[in-house]
Amino acid sequence: MDAQVFKKRILSAAQPSGNLTLGNYLGALKNWADLQKDFECFYCVADLHAITLKQEPSLLRQRSLQTLALYIACGIDPQKVTFFIQSHVPQHTQLSWVLGCSTMFGELSRMTQFKDKSQRHADNINVGLFTYPVLMAADILLYQANLVPVGDDQRQHIELARDIAKRFNANYSETFTIPEAYILKSSARIMSLQDPTRKMSKSDPNPSACIFILDSKDEILKKCKRAVTDSEAVVAADPARPGIYNLVQIYSALTGKSAEEVAAEFAGRGYGDFKAAVGETCADALAPVREEYARLTADKAYLEEIMKNGAEKASYIAQKTVSKVYRKVGFYQPR
Ligand code: TRP
Protein backbone atom coordinates (compact mmCIF):
# COMPACT_ATOMS: atom_id res chain seq x y z
CA MET A 1 0.00 0.00 0.00
CA ASP A 2 1.13 3.53 -0.70
CA ALA A 3 2.68 5.04 2.42
CA GLN A 4 1.75 8.49 1.09
CA VAL A 5 -1.87 7.85 2.08
CA PHE A 6 -1.04 7.97 5.77
CA LYS A 7 0.98 11.14 5.74
CA LYS A 8 -0.50 14.11 7.50
CA ARG A 9 -1.16 17.06 5.29
CA ILE A 10 0.53 20.40 5.70
CA LEU A 11 -0.26 23.75 4.20
CA SER A 12 1.84 26.83 4.54
CA ALA A 13 2.20 30.06 2.65
CA ALA A 14 4.64 32.93 2.44
CA GLN A 15 4.05 36.34 1.03
CA PRO A 16 6.15 37.14 -2.02
CA SER A 17 9.16 39.05 -0.96
CA GLY A 18 12.37 39.78 -2.77
CA ASN A 19 14.66 40.01 0.19
CA LEU A 20 14.32 37.18 2.64
CA THR A 21 16.52 37.12 5.71
CA LEU A 22 18.49 34.63 7.75
CA GLY A 23 15.51 34.73 10.13
CA ASN A 24 13.20 33.62 7.31
CA TYR A 25 15.71 30.97 6.27
CA LEU A 26 15.98 29.40 9.71
CA GLY A 27 12.36 30.00 10.62
CA ALA A 28 10.49 29.01 7.48
CA LEU A 29 12.46 28.06 4.39
CA LYS A 30 14.66 25.43 5.99
CA ASN A 31 11.73 24.01 7.93
CA TRP A 32 9.56 23.79 4.85
CA ALA A 33 12.26 21.75 3.18
CA ASP A 34 12.64 19.48 6.22
CA LEU A 35 8.90 18.86 6.49
CA GLN A 36 8.52 17.53 2.96
CA LYS A 37 9.99 14.20 4.03
CA ASP A 38 7.35 13.38 6.61
CA PHE A 39 4.26 15.17 5.37
CA GLU A 40 2.20 15.73 2.27
CA CYS A 41 2.95 19.40 1.73
CA PHE A 42 1.12 22.21 0.00
CA TYR A 43 3.18 25.39 -0.20
CA CYS A 44 1.86 28.61 -1.57
CA VAL A 45 3.20 32.02 -2.55
CA ALA A 46 0.51 34.28 -1.11
CA ASP A 47 0.28 37.03 -3.70
CA LEU A 48 -3.42 37.65 -2.98
CA HIS A 49 -2.49 38.46 0.60
CA ALA A 50 0.30 40.74 -0.55
CA ILE A 51 -2.00 43.34 -2.13
CA THR A 52 -3.57 44.16 1.22
CA LEU A 53 -0.59 46.52 1.40
CA LYS A 54 0.40 48.80 -1.47
CA GLN A 55 2.50 46.98 -4.05
CA GLU A 56 4.31 48.05 -7.16
CA PRO A 57 2.75 45.69 -9.76
CA SER A 58 5.96 44.95 -11.66
CA LEU A 59 7.80 44.28 -8.41
CA LEU A 60 5.08 42.01 -7.06
CA ARG A 61 5.20 39.98 -10.27
CA GLN A 62 8.97 39.68 -10.02
CA ARG A 63 8.89 38.79 -6.35
CA SER A 64 6.42 35.96 -6.79
CA LEU A 65 8.87 34.33 -9.18
CA GLN A 66 11.83 35.08 -6.92
CA THR A 67 10.10 33.67 -3.87
CA LEU A 68 9.34 30.46 -5.71
CA ALA A 69 12.96 30.22 -6.83
CA LEU A 70 14.34 30.95 -3.39
CA TYR A 71 12.27 28.27 -1.70
CA ILE A 72 13.34 25.73 -4.28
CA ALA A 73 16.95 26.85 -3.83
CA CYS A 74 16.52 26.15 -0.10
CA GLY A 75 15.72 22.53 -0.84
CA ILE A 76 12.01 22.34 -1.54
CA ASP A 77 11.51 19.69 -4.17
CA PRO A 78 8.65 20.60 -6.49
CA GLN A 79 8.30 16.92 -7.36
CA LYS A 80 7.60 16.04 -3.73
CA VAL A 81 5.39 18.96 -2.72
CA THR A 82 2.63 20.94 -4.35
CA PHE A 83 4.11 24.39 -4.78
CA PHE A 84 1.97 27.08 -6.36
CA ILE A 85 1.08 30.75 -6.61
CA GLN A 86 -2.10 31.61 -4.73
CA SER A 87 -3.70 33.69 -7.49
CA HIS A 88 -3.33 30.77 -9.92
CA VAL A 89 -5.84 28.73 -7.93
CA PRO A 90 -9.19 30.56 -8.07
CA GLN A 91 -10.73 28.35 -5.38
CA HIS A 92 -8.95 30.41 -2.71
CA THR A 93 -11.08 33.46 -3.40
CA GLN A 94 -14.19 31.34 -3.96
CA LEU A 95 -13.98 29.66 -0.59
CA SER A 96 -12.97 32.89 1.06
CA TRP A 97 -16.32 34.48 0.25
CA VAL A 98 -18.28 31.62 1.75
CA LEU A 99 -16.12 31.50 4.87
CA GLY A 100 -16.51 35.25 5.26
CA CYS A 101 -20.19 34.60 5.81
CA SER A 102 -19.27 32.32 8.71
CA THR A 103 -16.91 34.87 10.26
CA MET A 104 -18.04 37.57 12.63
CA PHE A 105 -17.09 41.22 12.30
CA GLY A 106 -16.15 41.19 15.97
CA GLU A 107 -13.73 38.31 15.49
CA LEU A 108 -11.85 40.08 12.73
CA SER A 109 -11.82 43.30 14.75
CA ARG A 110 -9.89 41.51 17.48
CA MET A 111 -7.01 40.38 15.23
CA THR A 112 -3.84 41.96 16.56
CA GLN A 113 -2.18 41.92 13.14
CA PHE A 114 -5.06 43.92 11.67
CA LYS A 115 -4.80 46.47 14.48
CA ASP A 116 -1.02 46.69 14.00
CA LYS A 117 -1.16 47.01 10.25
CA SER A 118 -3.97 49.57 10.29
CA GLN A 119 -1.87 51.69 12.59
CA ARG A 120 1.21 51.38 10.42
CA HIS A 121 -0.72 51.96 7.17
CA ALA A 122 -3.34 54.43 8.35
CA ASP A 123 -3.75 55.79 4.81
CA ASN A 124 -4.79 52.40 3.43
CA ILE A 125 -7.04 50.53 5.86
CA ASN A 126 -8.74 48.58 3.09
CA VAL A 127 -11.34 45.85 3.51
CA GLY A 128 -8.84 43.24 2.31
CA LEU A 129 -6.60 44.03 5.26
CA PHE A 130 -9.59 43.37 7.50
CA THR A 131 -10.67 40.11 5.83
CA TYR A 132 -7.10 38.87 5.36
CA PRO A 133 -7.57 36.13 8.01
CA VAL A 134 -10.63 34.77 6.18
CA LEU A 135 -8.58 34.30 3.01
CA MET A 136 -5.91 32.65 5.11
CA ALA A 137 -8.52 30.29 6.59
CA ALA A 138 -9.57 29.44 3.02
CA ASP A 139 -5.93 28.70 2.09
CA ILE A 140 -5.78 26.16 4.88
CA LEU A 141 -9.26 24.62 4.82
CA LEU A 142 -9.31 24.14 1.02
CA TYR A 143 -6.64 21.45 1.36
CA GLN A 144 -8.08 19.87 4.51
CA ALA A 145 -4.69 20.47 6.10
CA ASN A 146 -3.93 18.84 9.44
CA LEU A 147 -1.00 21.07 10.30
CA VAL A 148 -0.01 24.64 9.50
CA PRO A 149 3.64 25.50 10.08
CA VAL A 150 3.86 29.19 10.90
CA GLY A 151 5.74 31.63 13.08
CA ASP A 152 4.31 32.56 16.43
CA ASP A 153 2.87 35.81 15.02
CA GLN A 154 0.34 33.80 13.01
CA ARG A 155 -1.06 31.82 15.94
CA GLN A 156 -4.16 33.99 16.28
CA HIS A 157 -4.98 33.58 12.59
CA ILE A 158 -4.81 29.79 12.91
CA GLU A 159 -7.08 29.92 15.96
CA LEU A 160 -9.58 31.86 13.88
CA ALA A 161 -9.34 29.36 11.01
CA ARG A 162 -10.15 26.59 13.51
CA ASP A 163 -13.13 28.53 14.85
CA ILE A 164 -14.46 29.17 11.35
CA ALA A 165 -14.04 25.49 10.42
CA LYS A 166 -15.79 24.29 13.57
CA ARG A 167 -18.64 26.73 13.07
CA PHE A 168 -19.11 25.70 9.45
CA ASN A 169 -19.02 22.01 10.39
CA ALA A 170 -21.58 22.61 13.12
CA ASN A 171 -23.91 24.55 10.83
CA TYR A 172 -23.63 22.45 7.67
CA SER A 173 -22.31 19.04 8.85
CA GLU A 174 -18.74 17.72 8.83
CA THR A 175 -16.88 19.43 5.97
CA PHE A 176 -13.47 20.68 7.07
CA THR A 177 -10.55 19.08 8.84
CA ILE A 178 -9.76 21.17 11.91
CA PRO A 179 -6.18 22.36 11.38
CA GLU A 180 -3.57 22.77 14.05
CA ALA A 181 -0.81 25.35 14.27
CA TYR A 182 2.65 23.87 14.05
CA ILE A 183 4.68 26.68 15.55
CA LEU A 184 8.16 26.88 14.09
CA LYS A 185 10.44 27.39 17.03
CA SER A 186 13.35 29.27 15.57
CA SER A 187 11.34 31.79 13.58
CA ALA A 188 10.77 34.11 16.53
CA ARG A 189 14.28 33.85 17.85
CA ILE A 190 16.50 35.45 15.25
CA MET A 191 16.94 39.05 16.32
CA SER A 192 18.42 42.17 14.74
CA LEU A 193 22.21 42.26 14.80
CA GLN A 194 22.11 45.94 15.72
CA ASP A 195 19.28 45.92 18.26
CA PRO A 196 18.99 42.35 19.56
CA THR A 197 15.81 43.16 21.46
CA ARG A 198 14.00 43.45 18.13
CA LYS A 199 13.24 40.78 15.56
CA MET A 200 15.52 40.63 12.51
CA SER A 201 13.44 42.34 9.85
CA LYS A 202 14.01 42.78 6.15
CA SER A 203 12.53 46.27 6.37
CA ASP A 204 15.03 47.44 8.99
CA PRO A 205 16.44 50.76 7.76
CA ASN A 206 19.88 49.79 9.07
CA PRO A 207 21.31 47.27 6.56
CA SER A 208 23.81 45.93 9.11
CA ALA A 209 20.92 44.72 11.28
CA CYS A 210 19.92 42.00 8.93
CA ILE A 211 21.56 39.15 7.03
CA PHE A 212 19.87 38.50 3.71
CA ILE A 213 19.88 35.01 2.26
CA LEU A 214 21.38 36.39 -0.94
CA ASP A 215 24.11 38.47 0.77
CA SER A 216 27.67 37.81 -0.38
CA LYS A 217 30.14 36.09 1.94
CA ASP A 218 31.90 39.41 2.52
CA GLU A 219 28.72 41.17 3.53
CA ILE A 220 27.80 38.36 5.91
CA LEU A 221 31.22 38.35 7.57
CA LYS A 222 31.12 42.12 7.96
CA LYS A 223 27.64 42.16 9.46
CA CYS A 224 28.51 39.46 11.97
CA LYS A 225 31.68 41.24 12.93
CA ARG A 226 29.74 44.46 13.58
CA ALA A 227 26.96 42.74 15.54
CA VAL A 228 26.13 44.48 18.80
CA THR A 229 27.19 42.48 21.87
CA ASP A 230 28.31 43.54 25.37
CA SER A 231 31.51 43.96 27.32
CA GLU A 232 31.50 40.67 29.21
CA ALA A 233 33.52 38.87 26.56
CA VAL A 234 32.16 35.44 27.54
CA VAL A 235 30.20 33.45 24.96
CA ALA A 236 27.10 32.18 26.74
CA ALA A 237 23.44 31.50 26.07
CA ASP A 238 22.19 34.06 28.55
CA PRO A 239 18.92 35.75 27.54
CA ALA A 240 19.84 38.67 29.80
CA ARG A 241 22.61 39.45 27.27
CA PRO A 242 20.52 39.59 24.12
CA GLY A 243 23.31 40.39 21.63
CA ILE A 244 25.53 37.43 22.36
CA TYR A 245 22.50 35.26 23.07
CA ASN A 246 21.24 35.96 19.55
CA LEU A 247 24.58 35.01 17.96
CA VAL A 248 24.62 31.78 19.98
CA GLN A 249 21.09 31.02 18.76
CA ILE A 250 22.11 31.62 15.15
CA TYR A 251 25.23 29.48 15.43
CA SER A 252 23.30 26.78 17.22
CA ALA A 253 20.50 26.75 14.61
CA LEU A 254 23.01 26.52 11.76
CA THR A 255 25.22 23.82 13.27
CA GLY A 256 22.59 21.82 15.15
CA LYS A 257 24.69 22.14 18.33
CA SER A 258 22.98 23.00 21.59
CA ALA A 259 23.59 26.40 23.18
CA GLU A 260 25.66 24.73 25.92
CA GLU A 261 27.84 23.01 23.35
CA VAL A 262 28.39 26.34 21.62
CA ALA A 263 29.36 28.02 24.89
CA ALA A 264 31.78 25.16 25.65
CA GLU A 265 33.31 25.34 22.16
CA PHE A 266 34.13 29.03 22.62
CA ALA A 267 35.05 28.97 26.30
CA GLY A 268 38.04 31.20 26.94
CA ARG A 269 37.91 32.73 23.47
CA GLY A 270 36.90 36.30 22.71
CA TYR A 271 33.92 37.64 20.81
CA GLY A 272 36.10 38.28 17.75
CA ASP A 273 36.70 34.56 17.24
CA PHE A 274 33.11 33.73 17.86
CA LYS A 275 31.72 36.37 15.50
CA ALA A 276 34.09 35.19 12.76
CA ALA A 277 32.87 31.61 13.28
CA VAL A 278 29.22 32.69 13.15
CA GLY A 279 29.93 34.62 9.94
CA GLU A 280 31.77 31.75 8.28
CA THR A 281 29.10 29.21 9.22
CA CYS A 282 26.38 31.48 7.99
CA ALA A 283 28.12 32.21 4.70
CA ASP A 284 28.83 28.48 4.17
CA ALA A 285 25.20 27.57 4.80
CA LEU A 286 23.88 30.21 2.43
CA ALA A 287 26.41 29.86 -0.41
CA PRO A 288 24.73 26.84 -2.04
CA VAL A 289 21.34 28.54 -1.76
CA ARG A 290 22.70 31.63 -3.51
CA GLU A 291 24.22 29.56 -6.31
CA GLU A 292 21.11 27.49 -6.86
CA TYR A 293 18.98 30.63 -6.83
CA ALA A 294 21.10 32.20 -9.55
CA ARG A 295 20.83 29.05 -11.64
CA LEU A 296 17.04 28.87 -11.22
CA THR A 297 16.25 32.50 -11.90
CA ALA A 298 18.18 32.21 -15.16
CA ASP A 299 15.69 29.54 -16.25
CA LYS A 300 12.32 31.24 -16.20
CA ALA A 301 10.71 28.58 -18.39
CA TYR A 302 11.50 25.93 -15.79
CA LEU A 303 10.04 28.02 -12.97
CA GLU A 304 6.89 28.69 -14.96
CA GLU A 305 6.53 24.98 -15.59
CA ILE A 306 6.67 24.37 -11.84
CA MET A 307 4.06 27.06 -11.22
CA LYS A 308 1.71 25.59 -13.79
CA ASN A 309 2.04 22.02 -12.53
CA GLY A 310 1.66 23.20 -8.95
CA ALA A 311 -1.48 25.18 -9.68
CA GLU A 312 -2.99 22.24 -11.53
CA LYS A 313 -2.36 19.83 -8.66
CA ALA A 314 -3.56 22.32 -6.05
CA SER A 315 -6.64 23.23 -7.99
CA TYR A 316 -7.69 19.60 -8.37
CA ILE A 317 -7.74 19.11 -4.58
CA ALA A 318 -9.15 22.57 -3.88
CA GLN A 319 -12.07 22.07 -6.25
CA LYS A 320 -13.20 18.99 -4.32
CA THR A 321 -13.59 21.15 -1.23
CA VAL A 322 -15.28 24.01 -3.05
CA SER A 323 -17.82 21.67 -4.69
CA LYS A 324 -18.61 20.13 -1.33
CA VAL A 325 -18.98 23.53 0.31
CA TYR A 326 -21.17 24.93 -2.48
CA ARG A 327 -23.44 21.92 -2.21
CA LYS A 328 -23.69 22.17 1.58
CA VAL A 329 -24.54 25.86 1.67
CA GLY A 330 -27.30 25.31 -0.88
CA PHE A 331 -25.95 26.74 -4.14
CA TYR A 332 -27.92 25.22 -6.98
CA GLN A 333 -25.83 22.76 -8.97
CA PRO A 334 -27.40 21.60 -12.23
CA ARG A 335 -26.59 18.08 -13.29
N1 TRP B 1 -0.20 35.36 6.82
C1 TRP B 1 0.98 34.57 6.62
C2 TRP B 1 2.21 35.41 6.91
O1 TRP B 1 2.19 36.60 6.73
C3 TRP B 1 1.07 34.04 5.21
C4 TRP B 1 -0.06 33.13 4.91
C5 TRP B 1 -1.08 33.36 4.04
C6 TRP B 1 -0.25 31.84 5.46
N2 TRP B 1 -1.91 32.27 4.02
C7 TRP B 1 -1.43 31.33 4.87
C8 TRP B 1 0.45 31.06 6.39
C9 TRP B 1 -1.93 30.07 5.19
C10 TRP B 1 -0.04 29.80 6.71
C11 TRP B 1 -1.22 29.33 6.12
O2 TRP B 1 3.21 34.86 7.31
PDB file of all heavy atoms in Angstrom, residues 261-285:
ATOM      1  N   GLU A 261      26.700  23.477  24.147  1.00  0.00           N
ATOM      2  CA  GLU A 261      27.843  23.015  23.349  1.00  0.00           C
ATOM      3  C   GLU A 261      28.565  24.197  22.695  1.00  0.00           C
ATOM      4  O   GLU A 261      29.795  24.216  22.616  1.00  0.00           O
ATOM      5  CB  GLU A 261      27.387  22.027  22.269  1.00  0.00           C
ATOM      6  CG  GLU A 261      27.022  20.656  22.824  1.00  0.00           C
ATOM      7  CD  GLU A 261      26.295  19.773  21.799  1.00  0.00           C
ATOM      8  OE1 GLU A 261      25.588  20.304  20.908  1.00  0.00           O
ATOM      9  OE2 GLU A 261      26.433  18.545  21.896  1.00  0.00           O
ATOM     10  N   VAL A 262      27.784  25.172  22.248  1.00  0.00           N
ATOM     11  CA  VAL A 262      28.392  26.343  21.618  1.00  0.00           C
ATOM     12  C   VAL A 262      29.228  27.107  22.650  1.00  0.00           C
ATOM     13  O   VAL A 262      30.379  27.482  22.389  1.00  0.00           O
ATOM     14  CB  VAL A 262      27.310  27.282  21.019  1.00  0.00           C
ATOM     15  CG1 VAL A 262      27.946  28.525  20.425  1.00  0.00           C
ATOM     16  CG2 VAL A 262      26.478  26.546  19.971  1.00  0.00           C
ATOM     17  N   ALA A 263      28.644  27.305  23.832  1.00  0.00           N
ATOM     18  CA  ALA A 263      29.361  28.015  24.894  1.00  0.00           C
ATOM     19  C   ALA A 263      30.656  27.279  25.238  1.00  0.00           C
ATOM     20  O   ALA A 263      31.720  27.896  25.401  1.00  0.00           O
ATOM     21  CB  ALA A 263      28.476  28.148  26.130  1.00  0.00           C
ATOM     22  N   ALA A 264      30.593  25.957  25.312  1.00  0.00           N
ATOM     23  CA  ALA A 264      31.779  25.156  25.651  1.00  0.00           C
ATOM     24  C   ALA A 264      32.834  25.291  24.554  1.00  0.00           C
ATOM     25  O   ALA A 264      34.029  25.456  24.825  1.00  0.00           O
ATOM     26  CB  ALA A 264      31.385  23.689  25.843  1.00  0.00           C
ATOM     27  N   GLU A 265      32.382  25.249  23.284  1.00  0.00           N
ATOM     28  CA  GLU A 265      33.308  25.339  22.158  1.00  0.00           C
ATOM     29  C   GLU A 265      34.101  26.650  22.190  1.00  0.00           C
ATOM     30  O   GLU A 265      35.277  26.678  21.835  1.00  0.00           O
ATOM     31  CB  GLU A 265      32.502  25.230  20.849  1.00  0.00           C
ATOM     32  CG  GLU A 265      33.350  25.192  19.594  1.00  0.00           C
ATOM     33  CD  GLU A 265      32.481  25.088  18.320  1.00  0.00           C
ATOM     34  OE1 GLU A 265      31.287  24.694  18.425  1.00  0.00           O
ATOM     35  OE2 GLU A 265      33.001  25.403  17.241  1.00  0.00           O
ATOM     36  N   PHE A 266      33.457  27.722  22.655  1.00  0.00           N
ATOM     37  CA  PHE A 266      34.127  29.027  22.622  1.00  0.00           C
ATOM     38  C   PHE A 266      34.576  29.510  24.005  1.00  0.00           C
ATOM     39  O   PHE A 266      34.919  30.679  24.176  1.00  0.00           O
ATOM     40  CB  PHE A 266      33.224  30.061  21.936  1.00  0.00           C
ATOM     41  CG  PHE A 266      33.111  29.803  20.465  1.00  0.00           C
ATOM     42  CD1 PHE A 266      32.089  29.001  19.966  1.00  0.00           C
ATOM     43  CD2 PHE A 266      34.065  30.298  19.584  1.00  0.00           C
ATOM     44  CE1 PHE A 266      32.004  28.722  18.615  1.00  0.00           C
ATOM     45  CE2 PHE A 266      33.988  30.021  18.224  1.00  0.00           C
ATOM     46  CZ  PHE A 266      32.951  29.221  17.738  1.00  0.00           C
ATOM     47  N   ALA A 267      34.605  28.594  24.949  1.00  0.00           N
ATOM     48  CA  ALA A 267      35.048  28.967  26.305  1.00  0.00           C
ATOM     49  C   ALA A 267      36.472  29.506  26.238  1.00  0.00           C
ATOM     50  O   ALA A 267      37.336  28.926  25.575  1.00  0.00           O
ATOM     51  CB  ALA A 267      34.971  27.757  27.228  1.00  0.00           C
ATOM     52  N   GLY A 268      36.696  30.625  26.880  1.00  0.00           N
ATOM     53  CA  GLY A 268      38.041  31.201  26.943  1.00  0.00           C
ATOM     54  C   GLY A 268      38.466  31.936  25.680  1.00  0.00           C
ATOM     55  O   GLY A 268      39.590  32.413  25.579  1.00  0.00           O
ATOM     56  N   ARG A 269      37.573  31.983  24.690  1.00  0.00           N
ATOM     57  CA  ARG A 269      37.913  32.728  23.473  1.00  0.00           C
ATOM     58  C   ARG A 269      37.086  34.002  23.417  1.00  0.00           C
ATOM     59  O   ARG A 269      35.998  34.078  23.966  1.00  0.00           O
ATOM     60  CB  ARG A 269      37.646  31.854  22.242  1.00  0.00           C
ATOM     61  CG  ARG A 269      38.649  30.690  22.169  1.00  0.00           C
ATOM     62  CD  ARG A 269      38.156  29.582  21.281  1.00  0.00           C
ATOM     63  NE  ARG A 269      38.134  29.927  19.864  1.00  0.00           N
ATOM     64  CZ  ARG A 269      37.668  29.105  18.928  1.00  0.00           C
ATOM     65  NH1 ARG A 269      37.197  27.908  19.245  1.00  0.00           N
ATOM     66  NH2 ARG A 269      37.673  29.466  17.673  1.00  0.00           N
ATOM     67  N   GLY A 270      37.577  35.001  22.732  1.00  0.00           N
ATOM     68  CA  GLY A 270      36.897  36.301  22.705  1.00  0.00           C
ATOM     69  C   GLY A 270      35.741  36.343  21.717  1.00  0.00           C
ATOM     70  O   GLY A 270      35.504  35.402  20.967  1.00  0.00           O
ATOM     71  N   TYR A 271      35.041  37.447  21.729  1.00  0.00           N
ATOM     72  CA  TYR A 271      33.916  37.644  20.812  1.00  0.00           C
ATOM     73  C   TYR A 271      34.375  37.662  19.355  1.00  0.00           C
ATOM     74  O   TYR A 271      33.643  37.258  18.462  1.00  0.00           O
ATOM     75  CB  TYR A 271      33.190  38.951  21.121  1.00  0.00           C
ATOM     76  CG  TYR A 271      32.304  38.908  22.353  1.00  0.00           C
ATOM     77  CD1 TYR A 271      31.775  40.070  22.891  1.00  0.00           C
ATOM     78  CD2 TYR A 271      31.986  37.694  22.960  1.00  0.00           C
ATOM     79  CE1 TYR A 271      30.958  40.047  24.006  1.00  0.00           C
ATOM     80  CE2 TYR A 271      31.174  37.651  24.080  1.00  0.00           C
ATOM     81  CZ  TYR A 271      30.664  38.833  24.597  1.00  0.00           C
ATOM     82  OH  TYR A 271      29.851  38.810  25.691  1.00  0.00           O
ATOM     83  N   GLY A 272      35.596  38.177  19.121  1.00  0.00           N
ATOM     84  CA  GLY A 272      36.099  38.283  17.750  1.00  0.00           C
ATOM     85  C   GLY A 272      36.105  36.927  17.062  1.00  0.00           C
ATOM     86  O   GLY A 272      35.598  36.774  15.951  1.00  0.00           O
ATOM     87  N   ASP A 273      36.655  35.929  17.753  1.00  0.00           N
ATOM     88  CA  ASP A 273      36.696  34.558  17.241  1.00  0.00           C
ATOM     89  C   ASP A 273      35.298  34.039  16.970  1.00  0.00           C
ATOM     90  O   ASP A 273      35.028  33.414  15.945  1.00  0.00           O
ATOM     91  CB  ASP A 273      37.302  33.623  18.307  1.00  0.00           C
ATOM     92  CG  ASP A 273      38.802  33.522  18.161  1.00  0.00           C
ATOM     93  OD1 ASP A 273      39.360  34.312  17.368  1.00  0.00           O
ATOM     94  OD2 ASP A 273      39.392  32.659  18.844  1.00  0.00           O
ATOM     95  N   PHE A 274      34.459  34.270  17.949  1.00  0.00           N
ATOM     96  CA  PHE A 274      33.107  33.729  17.855  1.00  0.00           C
ATOM     97  C   PHE A 274      32.338  34.361  16.696  1.00  0.00           C
ATOM     98  O   PHE A 274      31.714  33.657  15.891  1.00  0.00           O
ATOM     99  CB  PHE A 274      32.364  33.938  19.177  1.00  0.00           C
ATOM    100  CG  PHE A 274      30.957  33.389  19.172  1.00  0.00           C
ATOM    101  CD1 PHE A 274      30.709  32.076  18.786  1.00  0.00           C
ATOM    102  CD2 PHE A 274      29.877  34.189  19.539  1.00  0.00           C
ATOM    103  CE1 PHE A 274      29.409  31.571  18.755  1.00  0.00           C
ATOM    104  CE2 PHE A 274      28.580  33.691  19.513  1.00  0.00           C
ATOM    105  CZ  PHE A 274      28.352  32.382  19.127  1.00  0.00           C
ATOM    106  N   LYS A 275      32.432  35.687  16.583  1.00  0.00           N
ATOM    107  CA  LYS A 275      31.722  36.371  15.499  1.00  0.00           C
ATOM    108  C   LYS A 275      32.218  35.896  14.131  1.00  0.00           C
ATOM    109  O   LYS A 275      31.425  35.725  13.199  1.00  0.00           O
ATOM    110  CB  LYS A 275      31.916  37.882  15.620  1.00  0.00           C
ATOM    111  CG  LYS A 275      31.094  38.511  16.728  1.00  0.00           C
ATOM    112  CD  LYS A 275      31.441  39.985  16.821  1.00  0.00           C
ATOM    113  CE  LYS A 275      30.464  40.737  17.693  1.00  0.00           C
ATOM    114  NZ  LYS A 275      30.817  42.175  17.761  1.00  0.00           N
ATOM    115  N   ALA A 276      33.536  35.677  14.033  1.00  0.00           N
ATOM    116  CA  ALA A 276      34.085  35.186  12.763  1.00  0.00           C
ATOM    117  C   ALA A 276      33.521  33.800  12.456  1.00  0.00           C
ATOM    118  O   ALA A 276      33.163  33.504  11.307  1.00  0.00           O
ATOM    119  CB  ALA A 276      35.607  35.144  12.829  1.00  0.00           C
ATOM    120  N   ALA A 277      33.401  32.962  13.485  1.00  0.00           N
ATOM    121  CA  ALA A 277      32.871  31.613  13.279  1.00  0.00           C
ATOM    122  C   ALA A 277      31.398  31.661  12.869  1.00  0.00           C
ATOM    123  O   ALA A 277      30.963  30.925  11.974  1.00  0.00           O
ATOM    124  CB  ALA A 277      33.042  30.775  14.554  1.00  0.00           C
ATOM    125  N   VAL A 278      30.637  32.545  13.510  1.00  0.00           N
ATOM    126  CA  VAL A 278      29.223  32.687  13.148  1.00  0.00           C
ATOM    127  C   VAL A 278      29.123  33.124  11.684  1.00  0.00           C
ATOM    128  O   VAL A 278      28.357  32.552  10.895  1.00  0.00           O
ATOM    129  CB  VAL A 278      28.495  33.704  14.064  1.00  0.00           C
ATOM    130  CG1 VAL A 278      27.059  33.928  13.591  1.00  0.00           C
ATOM    131  CG2 VAL A 278      28.510  33.236  15.515  1.00  0.00           C
ATOM    132  N   GLY A 279      29.934  34.113  11.315  1.00  0.00           N
ATOM    133  CA  GLY A 279      29.930  34.624   9.944  1.00  0.00           C
ATOM    134  C   GLY A 279      30.277  33.547   8.926  1.00  0.00           C
ATOM    135  O   GLY A 279      29.579  33.384   7.920  1.00  0.00           O
ATOM    136  N   GLU A 280      31.339  32.809   9.204  1.00  0.00           N
ATOM    137  CA  GLU A 280      31.769  31.745   8.279  1.00  0.00           C
ATOM    138  C   GLU A 280      30.680  30.680   8.127  1.00  0.00           C
ATOM    139  O   GLU A 280      30.366  30.240   7.013  1.00  0.00           O
ATOM    140  CB  GLU A 280      33.046  31.047   8.805  1.00  0.00           C
ATOM    141  CG  GLU A 280      34.313  31.884   8.714  1.00  0.00           C
ATOM    142  CD  GLU A 280      34.850  32.011   7.277  1.00  0.00           C
ATOM    143  OE1 GLU A 280      34.430  31.212   6.408  1.00  0.00           O
ATOM    144  OE2 GLU A 280      35.669  32.927   7.037  1.00  0.00           O
ATOM    145  N   THR A 281      30.113  30.262   9.245  1.00  0.00           N
ATOM    146  CA  THR A 281      29.099  29.206   9.223  1.00  0.00           C
ATOM    147  C   THR A 281      27.884  29.651   8.427  1.00  0.00           C
ATOM    148  O   THR A 281      27.312  28.897   7.625  1.00  0.00           O
ATOM    149  CB  THR A 281      28.669  28.864  10.665  1.00  0.00           C
ATOM    150  OG1 THR A 281      29.846  28.646  11.434  1.00  0.00           O
ATOM    151  CG2 THR A 281      27.796  27.629  10.712  1.00  0.00           C
ATOM    152  N   CYS A 282      27.513  30.898   8.680  1.00  0.00           N
ATOM    153  CA  CYS A 282      26.378  31.480   7.990  1.00  0.00           C
ATOM    154  C   CYS A 282      26.632  31.544   6.477  1.00  0.00           C
ATOM    155  O   CYS A 282      25.788  31.131   5.669  1.00  0.00           O
ATOM    156  CB  CYS A 282      26.245  32.890   8.548  1.00  0.00           C
ATOM    157  SG  CYS A 282      24.618  33.448   8.618  1.00  0.00           S
ATOM    158  N   ALA A 283      27.789  32.063   6.113  1.00  0.00           N
ATOM    159  CA  ALA A 283      28.120  32.207   4.696  1.00  0.00           C
ATOM    160  C   ALA A 283      28.182  30.831   4.026  1.00  0.00           C
ATOM    161  O   ALA A 283      27.700  30.656   2.902  1.00  0.00           O
ATOM    162  CB  ALA A 283      29.447  32.941   4.544  1.00  0.00           C
ATOM    163  N   ASP A 284      28.755  29.840   4.727  1.00  0.00           N
ATOM    164  CA  ASP A 284      28.832  28.484   4.168  1.00  0.00           C
ATOM    165  C   ASP A 284      27.455  27.883   3.958  1.00  0.00           C
ATOM    166  O   ASP A 284      27.208  27.183   2.976  1.00  0.00           O
ATOM    167  CB  ASP A 284      29.639  27.560   5.092  1.00  0.00           C
ATOM    168  CG  ASP A 284      31.128  27.850   5.016  1.00  0.00           C
ATOM    169  OD1 ASP A 284      31.522  28.635   4.117  1.00  0.00           O
ATOM    170  OD2 ASP A 284      31.882  27.312   5.847  1.00  0.00           O
ATOM    171  N   ALA A 285      26.552  28.142   4.908  1.00  0.00           N
ATOM    172  CA  ALA A 285      25.204  27.569   4.797  1.00  0.00           C
ATOM    173  C   ALA A 285      24.449  28.209   3.636  1.00  0.00           C
ATOM    174  O   ALA A 285      23.684  27.539   2.941  1.00  0.00           O
ATOM    175  CB  ALA A 285      24.439  27.765   6.102  1.00  0.00           C
TER     176      ALA A 285
END
